[in-house]
Amino acid sequence: MNKHSIAMFFGVIVAVLVILLINEFTIVDDCLDHGGRFDYQTGQCLLADAKVHVASFTNYLVALYFVLAIAIAFAGSRLTKKLFKL
């Protein structure tokens, strides 16, 4: 593994963590705001009347996750290279 791979790996790990946090703040909080409970195994919001709640903005989140993942992975990789002189 060369020295550039380490920086890219770190950037991807940071991007995944940021996307998980964004998911927690958007999807899960929206579910709880509607009085449901979020089932992490299925990734669905279950309401009290046994219906599945789907947020209206989930399609936009996929595009946002894609753009953010690329930007954060690139920035994290560059920052790692700069900080550790790789």
Side-chain angles (χ1 to χ4, degrees):
M1 186 155 59
N2 64 20
K3 61 183 179 180
H4 298 292
S5 298
I6 295 169
M8 288 175 17
F9 179 74
F10 181 75
V12 169
I13 294 298
V14 170
V16 168
L17 292 175
V18 168
I19 287 175
L20 288 174
L21 286 173
I22 290 172
N23 190 49
E24 182 75 26
F25 288 127
T26 54
I27 301 283
V28 177
D29 283 349
D30 182 60
C31 176
L32 297 176
D33 289 343
H34 283 89
R37 67 174 181 82
F38 193 79
D39 185 8
Y40 286 96
Q41 289 181 334
T42 61
Q44 294 178 333
C45 176
L46 304 172
L47 298 176
D49 57 356
K51 292 184 180 178
V52 175
H53 171 71
V54 178
S56 60
F57 54 83
T58 53
N59 292 338
Y60 301 111
L61 280 180
V62 173
L64 178 67
Y65 290 164
F66 180 74
V67 171
L68 279 177
I70 290 173
I72 293 171
F74 178 74
S77 174
R78 298 284 295 197
L79 186 62
T80 303
K81 285 180 189 178
K82 194 175 235 181
L83 287 175
F84 297 110
K85 308 250 191 266
L86 296 176

